Amino acid sequence: MPYMPTFVAPARFTDAAAALDQVKAIYQGGLSHLRESMLRFVAGEALPGRVRACYPFVRVHTHTVSRHTPPANAGLSYGFVAGPGRYETTLTRPDLFSRYYLDQFRLLLENHQVELEVGTSTQPIPIHFSFAENDHIEGTMSEDRRALMRDVFDLPDLGVMDDGIANGTFEARDGEAQPLSLFTAARVDYSLHRLRHYTGTAPEWFQNFVLFTNYQFYIDEFVRLGHEAMADENSEYIAFIEPGNVITRRRGLDAGTSETFAHLFDGSQGTAPPRLPQMPAYHLVREDYSGITMTNIGVGPANAKTITDHIAVLRPHAWMMLGHCAGLRNTQQLGDYVLAHAYVREDHVLDEELPLWVPIPALSEIQLALEKAVADITRYEGPDLKKIMRTGTVASTDNRNWELLPGNQPQRRFSQSRAVALDMESATIAANGFRFRVPYGTLLCVSDKPLHGEIKLPGMANHFYRERVEQHLRIGMRAIDILREEGSTRLHSRKLRSFAEVAFQ
């Protein structure tokens, strides 16, 4: 028999906050059990059996297709199940997802007028996912002792972490509940740990609006603007976070100012890493998580897929790509903007998860926000705006030297697709946004025109970067301001929801 914490019987709730409290109690009880057992194991004790704790679950039963949707929930594309049946999901990190879970629970209760059932699932919490942020206690064990961990503790099981639900390929077995969420608890935990590794910052700092870039110049400018905001006592942002969880608080911010981010005042300032992680992230933090996270994903679709695979579990309101591209039209000038309204996917990293025949539509809310942001920052309007910004198809390739291929075959395909720009990341980010139901958009800046003899040269590139990076970044940040002002519920469009969609946003 496994050595487990005290069993918590399933309970039913008609109050979202009470249901969340039960989730927290089950989860914290399981974590305490695993951590205490791990400390004893590291100390060399023989434990009384296989150590196990399981994730909490939430479940709903519905018996009718009708819903009791209050006017406040009308028009939402989430918050309800597809039809009669039993639906459930496992849950993790209720401290991190407290607001999110509370909102999802509230919508289910209001829309279906049924009880929420909360209990302990049968899905084990892997021991690695129970460690606190800076715990590395397994590193103090001998090699032989570490080898015994598999016999004593549950380790991560990739079989319960696949993306079948998000990909639309999941089929419940006879007697199995339908999913409430795109991600199981183990899948979420896996991504939270990967985010720490790839970005050098804790998941707690990630904000609900995310900007991706493929050049460090944008990050340098974002860091400058972040510190500038922290020097302003009236800034809407309360902290700026850099890799290593290095915290800069807003000038004049006092203890007790932030309930959500009380750990801003716990004395920890973080430590800058000796070298930057693979995809460093920076966070302009707002009290309600509606700030801005910016990540340098580097060059190529593999990184673009990797980072969006993991940020998706945080359920952001939108992510957008701000980067450089090759202009494919002779009428374009260096420094012109390209607003993507369609994508040619020659990146190949998502072909198995999202077939090429699936269209990736432009989302009007994002498109309008980006177009308005370009007008606001550049002061161009109407026909003048079209002189510096083209709306069109963006092609993304996994071959950085596509122009050297013999026979001009890529050029022919790009011409047939009516592409106006080419990069290596934008289609991947948009496609994964579509796959994970995260609103997406792309605004690129033409940095070279290889088909017309204007290639990147050091002097020309440096001048271009100085001229355009700040403006481009400010456009992206202005677009987020516009989206925030319009409200996040409008962003989560029905365009991204399938026939029988999960209830959680």
Side-chain angles (χ1 to χ4, degrees):
M1 287 286 292
Y3 173 50
M4 301 181 70
T6 303
F7 176 72
V8 179
R12 297 178 183 275
F13 299 89
T14 56
D15 178 76
L20 180 59
D21 286 342
Q22 183 77 337
V23 169
K24 291 179 178 179
I26 295 171
Y27 182 74
Q28 289 303 325
L31 248 59
S32 296
H33 173 70
L34 290 175
R35 290 173 178 173
E36 291 168 6
S37 299
M38 186 63 179
L39 289 173
R40 292 169 58 190
F41 181 79
V42 170
E45 287 188 40
L47 299 177
R50 185 173 184 84
V51 177
R52 174 167 291 171
C54 294
Y55 289 108
F57 72 80
V58 63
R59 177 187 297 149
V60 294
H61 294 264
T62 59
H63 305 283
T64 175
V65 296
S66 65
R67 301 198 304 270
H68 306 269
T69 304
N73 299 343
L76 284 182
S77 62
Y78 58 90
F80 51 88
V81 299
R86 177 167 60 96
Y87 299 82
E88 68 180 59
T89 189
T90 49
L91 305 169
T92 189
R93 292 295 307 274
D95 57 321
L96 176 60
F97 292 102
S98 178
R99 291 187 181 202
Y100 172 73
Y101 286 158
L102 194 63
D103 196 37
Q104 308 313 305
F105 291 179
R106 176 186 60 79
L107 289 171
L108 285 170
L109 289 168
E110 291 176 354
N111 289 332
H112 293 288
Q113 301 289 297
V114 296
E115 295 176 314
L116 298 178
E117 184 178 351
V118 175
T120 305
S121 74
T122 58
Q123 188 176 102
I125 302 174
I127 186 64
H128 296 85
F129 297 164
S130 71
F131 296 167
E133 171 71 22
N134 296 310
D135 282 352
H136 304 288
I137 54 178
E138 79 281 9
T140 64
M141 292 187 291
S142 67
E143 186 176 338
D144 291 341
R145 194 67 174 164
R146 281 200 301 272
L148 290 175
M149 283 182 62
R150 187 178 296 274
D151 296 332
V152 180
F153 299 98
D154 291 295
L155 303 188
D157 178 7
L158 295 179
V160 297
M161 298 183 200
D162 68 68
D163 284 330
I165 302 171
N167 293 346
T169 58
F170 172 82
E171 293 185 5
R173 297 184 294 269
D174 288 344
E176 185 179 12
Q178 296 291 334
L180 270 176
S181 172
L182 292 178
F183 305 107
T184 64
R187 169 67 168 83
V188 172
D189 272 339
Y190 175 76
S191 283
L192 297 181
H193 279 67
R194 292 287 82 198
L195 283 175
R196 292 191 189 97
H197 171 74
Y198 285 122
T199 71
T201 55
E204 288 83 349
W205 297 120
F206 277 76
Q207 301 295 289
N208 276 321
F209 294 95
V210 182
L211 295 176
F212 297 112
T213 188
N214 50 8
Y215 279 95
Q216 180 63 29
F217 298 93
Y218 287 82
I219 295 297
D220 294 341
E221 184 62 21
F222 189 66
V223 169
R224 187 186 71 79
L225 293 174
H227 286 287
E228 185 179 280
M230 293 306 96
D232 179 3
E233 293 185 3
N234 298 314
S235 173
E236 61 191 302
Y237 302 103
I238 61 173
F240 183 63
I241 314 299
E242 301 174 64
N245 298 310
V246 175
I247 302 170
T248 302
R249 292 186 288 270
R250 188 184 67 204
R251 178 182 294 174
L253 190 70
D254 298 321
T257 303
S258 172
E259 295 181 6
T260 305
F261 296 100
H263 50 305
L264 283 173
F265 303 95
D266 64 3
S268 172
Q269 295 296 318
T271 303
R275 64 189 63 83
L276 285 176
Q278 183 175 342
M279 290 178 276
Y282 302 77
H283 314 276
L284 262 174
V285 177
R286 281 173 58 111
E287 175 70 22
D288 60 357
Y289 282 96
S290 68
I292 304 172
T293 287
M294 189 165 198
T295 302
N296 181 3
I297 62 175
V299 177
N303 276 2
K305 178 183 184 297
T306 296
I307 198 65
T308 48
D309 279 350
H310 299 313
I311 291 180
V313 305
L314 298 173
R315 310 313 296 142
H317 293 323
W319 60 40
M320 293 181 285
M321 177 66 186
L322 300 182
H324 293 162
C325 65
L328 300 180
R329 302 301 179 91
N330 196 33
T331 53
Q332 290 170 304
Q333 304 297 320
L334 298 186
D336 283 357
Y337 295 112
V338 175
L339 177 59
H341 74 183
Y343 301 89
V344 175
R345 292 171 52 202
E346 293 203 359
D347 53 335
H348 303 300
V349 292
L350 280 166
D351 293 359
E352 293 183 19
E353 287 92 350
L354 194 67
L356 289 173
W357 50 261
V358 176
I360 310 300
L363 304 180
S364 60
E365 296 84 1
I366 304 283
Q367 300 295 99
L368 292 172
L370 282 169
E371 183 173 348
K372 186 177 189 307
V374 174
D376 288 349
I377 298 299
T378 65
R379 305 293 184 182
Y380 285 107
E381 296 181 354
D384 290 333
L385 183 61
K386 292 185 177 182
K387 294 177 182 178
I388 64 162
M389 184 185 76
R390 292 192 62 156
T391 301
T393 297
V394 170
S396 291
T397 178
D398 58 359
N399 184 349
R400 177 59 187 85
N401 297 312
W402 59 272
E403 57 268 67
L404 302 182
L405 291 174
N408 292 328
Q409 295 219 356
Q411 298 177 36
R412 185 179 299 121
R413 291 196 301 275
F414 299 149
S415 177
Q416 289 172 326
S417 70
R418 310 301 192 265
V420 299
L422 181 137
D423 76 348
M424 299 185 70
E425 301 86 22
S426 295
T428 309
I429 289 169
N432 239 7
F434 181 87
R435 183 165 75 109
F436 291 129
R437 289 72 161 171
V438 177
Y440 51 85
T442 300
L443 183 72
L444 302 176
C445 191
V446 175
S447 61
D448 63 328
K449 296 168 58 182
L451 299 184
H452 306 98
E454 296 187 55
I455 62 175
K456 288 181 183 175
L457 298 173
M460 181 177 67
N462 290 337
H463 176 74
F464 166 78
Y465 297 141
R466 286 195 302 270
E467 291 290 319
R468 272 292 182 263
V469 166
E470 179 182 4
Q471 184 184 79
H472 195 184
L473 178 57
R474 287 187 180 275
I475 289 169
M477 296 174 71
R478 174 62 186 140
I480 288 174
D481 290 341
I482 294 167
L483 293 171
R484 187 190 297 124
E485 291 162 6
E486 291 178 347
S488 61
T489 55
R490 292 185 66 249
L491 277 171
H492 298 284
S493 169
R494 292 186 181 93
K495 298 185 191 76
L496 300 181
R497 315 290 283 185
S498 61
F499 294 168
E501 191 59 58
V502 298
F504 279 23
Q505 173 253 311

